[in-house]
Each structure stands twice: as C-alpha cells, then as structure tokens.
Amino acid sequence: MIVRLFLVFFLVRATYGKKHPLNPSSQPWQTLNGQRPAVIARGGYSGIYPESTDFANSFAMQTSLPDAIIYCSLQLSKDGSGYCLSSLKLDNTTNIADVFPNAQKSYNVNGEEMEGYFALDYTAQQLDNVSLIQNLFSRPSLFDALLLPISTVQQVIQLHPPGFWLNVQYNNFYIQHKLDPALYVQNILKTTAINYLSSPEIGFLKTMAGKVNKAKTQLIFVFKDADSVEPTTNKTYSFLLKDLSSIKLFASGILVPKEYIWPVNAQMYLDKPTTLVADAHKAGLEVYAYSFSNDNVASYNYSYDPTAEYLQFIDNSQFSVDGFLTDFPSTASEAIACLAHNKNASRLDKGKTLVISHNGASGVYPGSTDLAYQQAVDDGADIIDCSVQMSEDGVPFCLDSADLATATTAKTAFMTRASTVPEIQTSTGIFSFDLTWTEIQTLQPVIANPFSNGAGLLRNPANKNKGKFITLVEFLEFSKQKKLPGILINIQNAAYLASNKGLSITDAVATALSNATLDKQSTQKVLIQSEDSSVLSKFSDVPTYKKVLLIEKELISDVPKATVGAIKKFADAVNLKRGSIIPSPNYFTTTPTDVVAELHKANISVYVSVFRNEYIAIAMDYFSDPIVELSTFILPPFEVDGIITDYPATATAYLKSSCSNPNANLDYTILPIQPGGLLQSVPMPPAGAPAPSLNVADVVDPPLPSVSNVSGNVSGSPAPNAATAQAAPPPGTSGQAPNVVNLGLGAMGIMLFTLIYL
C-alpha cells in the first residue's frame, strides 16, 4: 500500500508539479469578501478515487489551487470514532456487504425509513476491515482493487490540507442513538483547526455557535432540496430561504444546491438566475454552491464543457458565488485561475496551434450548416471545414458524409432511394449522389450524435433541426466575408464518384476554389484534405494549397521512414486520430507513440481529430475535462499543429488563457497529463498488442479513374453542373429531369433500413 501511494504521489507531482507561491488574480471578484472563490474538494478528488481516501485527498491537494479546501462529511462508529463519508449508508460506497453479509438494519432517518449498513452499528476495529469502492459507473472502479480503507477524520487532518471543512449531515440521527457529533467536534477542536463547520440542521449549528472560535471556524448552514424539511424547525428549506437575516444570527454562510442559483428547466436549459447570491451577500452571508461534477449532464447551455458551468457562477456581470463544492477540484481551479475574466483576451499562441472546426461547431448546431459555421467563427475557430459531397446533378455542397440518413431527414422522404454502396460503407444509406440538389434542399438538417442513444448525451436539442445546408460556393464566399485565417476542404469518394456516377469531385472543388480566386492568393490558408493520395496530387499545381492526408485507420502505433517519405511526396500534413498519439484503450491512457515526433522530423504538420467535450469521449486520465485533454496534445512534448473539434469554443478558451503558456509565472496552471499515469498505480493485466504501423501501402493510392459517361455525361468532363454550381444563387433549377434511382430495394429491405436508423 505504501509503495502504491508513493507511486501516485510521484505521478501527481510529475504532472502537476509546476506551482508557484500564492498570487491571487488582481481581477476583482464579486464575492462577499472580494477574494477569489474557494475550491472545496468533496472527499478529495472523488471524481477519480473513492471518496476521502488518502489517494483522493492527496490528489486533490496536488491538482487544485494552493488554498483548496478538503471536505469531509462526518459519520460515527459505534464507539464514537469519526469517519469521512458522504453517505449515511455504507452499501454503495464500501464492500461492507462482503465483510458482514446479511447484516443490514433499518432506521428512521429524519422521518424516512432507510435499510442498509450504517457506521454506527460497527466498531472502529470492525470498520478497519472494510474498504471503499467507487459507486458511480461513470468513474473508474479499478482502484477498488487496492482495498483502500475508510479514512478517519484524524487521518484526513494529518495530511495538513490548506483548509479543512467538516460537514455534520445527520446530527439528530446520531443523537437518537446516543452518539453526540457536537461533543466529537469539540474534542477535535482542542487539537485541530476546523476552518468550516457545516450542517443542514439548525439545532446543531446553534449549539456549536457558542463553542467555536468564529474567527477561526466559520459556521455554514446547508440547504437541502427545497421541499425537504429541516428537522429543528420542521420547516422546508424553501421556507427558510425567505429569511436569510435569521440564518445570519448563527451562520456566516450558506451551502446550497446550484439550482438554487441558476435553475435548470425541464428541457435542461438554464432559466434566469435567482437573486439568492445578491440577497445573501446583502445579509452578510457567503454563498457556496454544491453538486458540481464533470461526469454529469448539467445543462445543454454548457455544451458539455464543465468549466463553462463554473464560469456561469463566477464570471458574470451580476454576482459570484464564494466557492464550489466539487468532485473535480482541478476543473474548478482552472475555471477560477485560468479562464475567468478572460472573455476579451486574445490568443496567446499567435495561431501556432490551429483550431479547426469539425463540420463547423457541430456540437452546437447540425453539422455543415450555415449556423454551425457561423457559430464556429463566433467561437474563434482559425479554420472552418467543408466535407464536400456531390448531388446527382453535380452540385458540390458541405456535409460530413455522402449518406444523408443520419444528418438529415432523408429517411422520411426518400426511403425508396436507399441503396447499399460497399465502396463507401457496409450499411444501407440514402446517398447524396442519388438526389438532386433541389431534392436535398427540401431536407432538414439533424444534429448528429456520435454516441449511442443509450448514453443519454443529447446535443443541444433546441437546435436539433436548425440551419440550412450550403453549397461549396456559399461556403467559400462565407469564409472570405468573415476574413477567416483559413479553410479546410475535405474530399471524399472521388474514385467511386468518377467511375460509377460520372462526377468529378476534384474538378468541382478546383473550379470553385479558382472562381473564388483562392488559388491566386496566400492570405487565407487553403487546406485540401483527403484519404486518397491521388486526390491530393491533383492539387499539387497550386503551391499555396496545403495538402492534408487523412489517416482513416482507427489507430496506428508507428510511421516508418519509408512511409514518411511516401507521404512527403504528396502531402504537407496528416490528420490522425487521438488514439494514434496517446492510446486510450478502455478509457485509460497508455504509453504514447512517437508518431508526432516522426512526422515533425520530416516537417510534416500533424492535426488531430476529433476532440469532443462529452465526458464519455475523454479518457479517465483527463479527469473528464476536455481542456486537460487539449493541453496534453497542444503543449510539449506533442505540440500538435492543429486540433479538429466539434466544440471550437472550448479550444479557443484554453488558448486565450495564460494557463496555456507552461512558462507563465502562475500559482496554478493546466499542465499535460503523464499518459499511462493512472494505470501505473494499480495492478493490470498485460497490455494487448500495439496498433499496426502505417505502411506505404496504407497511404499511396492508384491514380483516379477517368470520369465515366453516366446519364449522357462525356467521359472525363467536369461534373454536369460544375460551372453553374459556382454562381449564386445555389443551383437546383437546371431543368434536367432528375434520374429516379431504384436499385430494387424491396419492402423488406426498406423496413430493415428503417429499423436500423430509428
């Protein structure tokens, strides 16, 4: 155990060792005392480790602001020993049922019948045999194997946290069973400082008011759910909230659910804030908020960025809470120290790392729509992207995939056009090249969700069908109007379109770029991306175009010199998946590859995709925090040249922060993780085989086929409407009767296709 704990200390210090003397921000805060908000770690870093273990508390102290506070919720054993554990019942947070099988008991707790295992039924000696477990499925359970004991209050204090907060949640319950929390606290205070003492029971706080030194120990009244009843007064907490002046008589602050301050409606969007913080400050009460967690859906307003939620409570023109009670104290720390008061800041890296949109801001609006692109611009993206698809009548337009079934409402109108194209995908689809542009314009966009519906992580439902699809011409005109630093044009399925549909997507793109005069300038970056080397070679005659090879392999572990040399002949950059740089099997990072270094040696830029804010898309090592993941790829040793993201706002916020500069003299900063760090602290089975190398055969493709003569097209000619597609307004009224494609998909096939996409 000692060896493992030492290892964790070593890993933490290696990752977060760069701290400086306390130097609070000079920016004004709207807290009661004008100081920056406090970070209160509930049970230490309970978002990763079992609550209140030495691991959790030590990790919280190392990864958070230097003045972070460790929070302990008091439970008492049969013989009066104090333990730190939030839950009164031990069932879900410990292995007690294995140690003492079939020993559950029932108690009435503040009017509610509860059955399970309770600390007061066991002596301290018995509880020494019980170990903690992680009780949330979204959090790593591998530390359960370490058999970490329940921490006593004294053990937590012996870690010498910068601040210590003791919460007495069940005073009345323990009194009824001849255990006195007030007496326990008084004995602790004889030898130890308790900076904050809280309780949801007024009677306990009034008892302690005359027994503590209020200059050293602040008394905090905890509000539970609005409809719950406070046991001393038998009044609801919502009723007590109406008379803050009476609370000031026995407490210096209040700890409230975050919804008391920023209510969330039934659709999971923010309502207007209440006046609670202003009212409490006026009464002389500090306000602390709880229920902050990175791995919980708070509100769609935050786009799954946990720092955005913290900022909502401290960086607005109306108020700031005085502190957060959180399971992820490092994220609260970065919001306070790195991101607050930063809205009007400029990028510090001068565009060294490109922020590249993925179908625009596709986490906020349906991808590849006018609104998604506008949002990406508003969010500070350097490069916006268009994955070019072709309509049946030759109009190039922007959409992530040629299959319209998932990103549009095509299933409701064009089921008879469904077909299987094994050259593109194994599943049945409704493909853009089987519909005219006029028909495609009748479709509504649908915000895509890269996760299964079972994950429950919907993307901005209010914007589900907003926006309109745009042609490549409109996209280019938009980018010029917005004076963006650059664009990325992704070209897909060129060989299939040429040989099977008589459409030259490369000619369509080249013509559009030329008509927009983007081949005759160097002010705006033009990135041409494809997984097909022959496509990239088609654009080699324009030296200002930067050619990007998209590596479609799920993962690679190495790029041999021969492959690097082959790539160098036709590409200036590569687009890799995150796992090809830092593998993360089973949601834990492992030893990183040397792929970035190998490519950088050859002066080949490396872009990485796709970054997403949702916690299930992020390895556990990053603490369910998208900004920690971004920093790991952007800062040394990897220093990737661009990140491709569904949420450009998150990347931009990080790059505007002084914490994105690892050499800044700050008291807190965001540093990269050490890949594989968490796994090194626990016994693990042997690692699986590494991902394959990227070989020359994986990157060099045969020449593109000639454009076939389909529906009267002349072989080798541009797409039928390629020239028309360059003019505004968008095409779609060519007068040519649309070809009705019926590939013999029977009724049974249509039914099966419908079920697949429901």
Side-chain angles (χ1 to χ4, degrees):
M1 177 66 72
I2 293 175
V3 172
R4 287 174 179 153
L5 185 56
F6 174 80
L7 179 58
V8 168
F9 271 121
F10 174 78
L11 292 172
V12 169
R13 291 181 185 276
T15 304
Y16 284 89
K18 189 161 185 175
K19 289 194 177 184
H20 302 274
L22 187 63
N23 180 28
S25 170
S26 59
Q27 291 276 7
W29 292 98
Q30 297 183 83
T31 54
L32 181 63
N33 60 14
Q35 301 298 310
R36 71 181 177 193
V39 174
I40 308 149
R42 189 188 70 86
Y45 214 119
S46 54
I48 297 292
Y49 297 100
E51 178 189 348
S52 292
T53 56
D54 282 352
F55 276 39
N57 289 321
S58 299
F59 200 71
M61 291 161 59
Q62 288 294 323
T63 60
S64 307
L65 283 167
D67 53 354
I69 299 160
I70 298 298
Y71 176 97
C72 163
S73 199
L74 178 67
Q75 307 299 339
L76 294 175
S77 66
K78 181 186 290 186
D79 47 0
S81 292
Y83 292 86
C84 294
L85 207 58
S86 293
S87 176
L88 183 63
K89 292 170 56 178
L90 306 182
D91 308 45
N92 294 329
T93 55
T94 74
N95 67 346
I96 194 168
D98 297 328
V99 180
F100 302 102
N102 303 316
Q104 300 96 324
K105 289 190 176 181
S106 295
Y107 290 102
N108 185 286
V109 182
N110 295 333
E112 179 185 354
E113 290 296 325
M114 297 178 67
E115 181 180 358
Y117 291 86
F118 299 81
L120 57 74
D121 292 320
Y122 301 91
T123 65
Q125 185 176 9
Q126 289 174 310
L127 290 176
D128 284 345
N129 300 312
V130 176
S131 60
L132 290 161
I133 60 174
Q134 183 59 266
N135 66 330
L136 295 179
F137 292 121
S138 60
R139 298 178 181 177
S141 60
L142 76 168
F143 301 108
D144 298 356
L146 298 181
L147 302 179
L148 302 171
I150 308 172
S151 293
T152 65
V153 174
Q154 287 86 348
Q155 286 171 333
V156 175
I157 292 171
Q158 286 170 4
L159 293 174
H160 303 293
F164 181 64
W165 183 310
L166 185 64
N167 179 57
V168 180
Q169 192 78 2
Y170 298 102
N171 177 68
N172 272 9
F173 172 73
Y174 283 114
I175 289 289
Q176 292 168 9
H177 298 282
K178 305 187 185 320
L179 291 168
D180 190 348
L183 181 60
Y184 175 84
V185 172
Q186 289 177 68
N187 288 332
I188 290 287
L189 284 169
K190 291 176 183 178
T191 58
T192 304
I194 298 176
N195 305 100
Y196 299 85
L197 181 62
S198 64
S199 178
E201 299 183 12
I202 291 176
F204 172 78
L205 292 175
K206 286 185 173 180
T207 297
M208 297 306 301
K211 301 180 185 299
V212 301
N213 182 342
K214 294 182 180 178
K216 296 181 178 180
T217 302
Q218 295 187 51
L219 298 180
I220 308 295
F221 180 50
V222 179
F223 280 82
K224 298 169 70 175
D225 293 340
D227 295 330
S228 297
V229 175
E230 193 281 319
T232 306
T233 62
N234 283 325
K235 295 178 180 177
T236 64
Y237 287 95
S238 60
F239 181 87
L240 296 172
L241 195 66
K242 299 174 184 177
D243 190 6
L244 294 173
S245 59
S246 66
I247 294 171
K248 178 61 179 172
L249 297 176
F250 59 86
S252 62
I254 57 177
L255 175 62
V256 302
K258 60 187 179 184
E259 291 80 10
Y260 274 39
I261 300 167
W262 278 99
V264 177
N265 62 28
Q267 290 73 43
M268 295 187 66
Y269 288 94
L270 293 176
D271 282 334
K272 291 182 179 180
T274 69
T275 60
L276 173 58
V277 176
D279 295 341
H281 283 175
K282 186 176 181 180
L285 291 165
E286 292 183 320
V287 181
Y288 301 92
Y290 67 87
S291 295
F292 288 89
S293 173
N294 294 5
D295 52 1
N296 186 36
V297 183
S299 167
Y300 295 124
N301 296 81
Y302 304 130
S303 296
Y304 295 98
D305 180 353
T307 62
E309 181 179 23
Y310 289 110
L311 293 173
Q312 191 79 18
F313 286 78
I314 60 172
D315 193 13
N316 60 72
S317 60
Q318 302 173 60
F319 62 83
S320 170
V321 298
D322 299 277
F324 300 106
L325 178 61
T326 173
D327 293 2
F328 293 83
S330 65
T331 306
S333 296
E334 73 191 45
I336 294 167
C338 302
L339 304 176
H341 306 145
N342 223 26
K343 293 177 181 176
N344 298 319
S346 300
R347 286 269 297 273
L348 299 179
D349 67 337
K350 307 299 183 185
K352 178 183 177 183
T353 304
L354 295 175
V355 176
I356 305 171
S357 74
H358 181 241
N359 305 313
S362 55
V364 182
Y365 285 101
S368 305
T369 60
D370 57 341
L371 296 181
Y373 290 127
Q374 181 61 59
Q375 187 68 50
V377 172
D378 294 343
D379 291 343
D382 299 303
I383 307 286
I384 60 172
D385 68 306
C386 171
S387 287
V388 181
Q389 310 302 336
M390 298 293 287
S391 68
E392 183 186 47
D393 49 347
V395 179
F397 67 100
C398 301
L399 196 65
D400 184 54
S401 169
D403 183 4
L404 303 173
T406 56
T408 78
T409 54
K411 297 191 299 290
T412 62
F414 295 103
M415 286 297 298
T416 57
R417 307 285 187 89
S419 62
T420 301
V421 182
E423 296 93 333
I424 294 178
Q425 63 187 40
T426 57
S427 58
T428 302
I430 303 172
F431 295 98
S432 65
F433 43 73
D434 291 331
L435 276 69
T436 66
W437 176 241
T438 299
E439 291 173 320
I440 292 170
Q441 286 180 299
T442 67
L443 302 175
Q444 283 186 301
V446 175
I447 195 165
N449 190 336
F451 314 105
S452 65
N453 291 333
L457 301 180
L458 299 178
R459 287 186 164 183
N460 210 352
N463 293 343
K464 179 181 178 181
N465 299 116
K466 290 184 178 179
K468 70 181 184 70
F469 299 120
I470 63 174
T471 64
L472 175 59
V473 173
E474 292 173 313
F475 172 83
L476 297 176
E477 180 61 29
F478 173 82
S479 70
K480 292 180 71 174
Q481 289 176 355
K482 298 300 178 179
K483 298 181 178 179
L484 289 170
I487 56 172
L488 184 149
I489 305 299
N490 184 40
I491 300 176
Q492 304 173 342
N493 310 316
Y496 174 82
L497 290 171
S499 60
N500 292 274
K501 295 296 177 180
L503 297 170
S504 176
I505 189 172
T506 54
D507 286 353
V509 170
T511 302
L513 291 171
S514 179
N515 287 349
T517 67
L518 288 169
D519 58 342
K520 303 175 182 68
Q521 56 84 53
S522 57
T523 303
Q524 191 176 49
K525 291 184 175 70
V526 177
L527 279 58
I528 305 294
Q529 176 177 281
S530 180
E531 63 177 313
D532 192 324
S533 62
S534 295
V535 169
L536 298 180
S537 297
K538 284 276 189 178
F539 293 87
S540 59
D541 57 337
V542 182
T544 56
Y545 292 169
K546 187 168 186 175
K547 296 168 287 295
V548 183
L549 177 65
L550 175 63
I551 306 299
E552 277 294 281
K553 270 193 172 183
E554 187 62 30
L555 292 176
I556 61 172
S557 62
D558 179 52
V559 185
K561 287 184 179 180
T563 308
V564 173
I567 293 172
K568 189 71 176 173
K569 292 178 181 178
F570 57 82
D572 309 292
V574 297
N575 177 354
L576 298 171
K577 289 181 169 61
R578 294 172 298 164
S580 292
I581 299 171
I582 304 177
S584 53
N586 302 315
Y587 292 97
F588 288 94
T589 65
T590 58
T591 303
T593 70
D594 294 323
V595 169
V596 175
E598 291 164 352
L599 292 166
H600 277 172
K601 285 178 186 176
N603 199 30
I604 297 173
S605 299
V606 178
Y607 306 139
V608 187
S609 59
V610 173
F611 288 87
R612 298 181 168 110
N613 287 356
E614 289 88 348
Y615 67 88
I616 64 171
I618 301 172
M620 297 285 186
D621 306 62
Y622 303 118
F623 321 135
S624 301
D625 185 339
I627 285 183
V628 173
E629 183 183 32
L630 287 166
S631 73
T632 302
F633 282 86
I634 291 172
L635 296 180
F638 301 108
E639 296 184 279
V640 301
D641 302 282
I643 57 100
I644 300 172
T645 174
D646 292 352
Y647 296 96
T650 301
T652 302
Y654 168 65
L655 290 170
K656 288 166 62 175
S657 163
S658 58
C659 293
S660 64
N661 177 7
N663 299 314
N665 187 24
L666 306 170
D667 66 315
Y668 181 85
T669 193
I670 307 166
L671 293 181
I673 67 159
Q674 179 179 326
L678 280 180
L679 285 182
Q680 290 180 38
S681 61
V682 293
M684 294 294 294
S693 295
L694 186 67
N695 298 316
V696 173
D698 298 320
V699 300
V700 177
D701 298 287
L704 290 176
S706 300
V707 178
S708 63
N709 185 7
V710 177
S711 299
N713 290 350
V714 178
S715 179
S717 65
N721 284 343
T724 308
Q726 313 316 312
T733 56
S734 65
Q736 180 180 356
N739 293 324
V740 179
V741 180
N742 188 334
L743 301 183
L745 189 69
M748 184 61 69
I750 294 175
M751 291 175 62
L752 177 61
F753 177 69
T754 305
L755 290 173
I756 289 173
Y757 280 101
L758 285 179

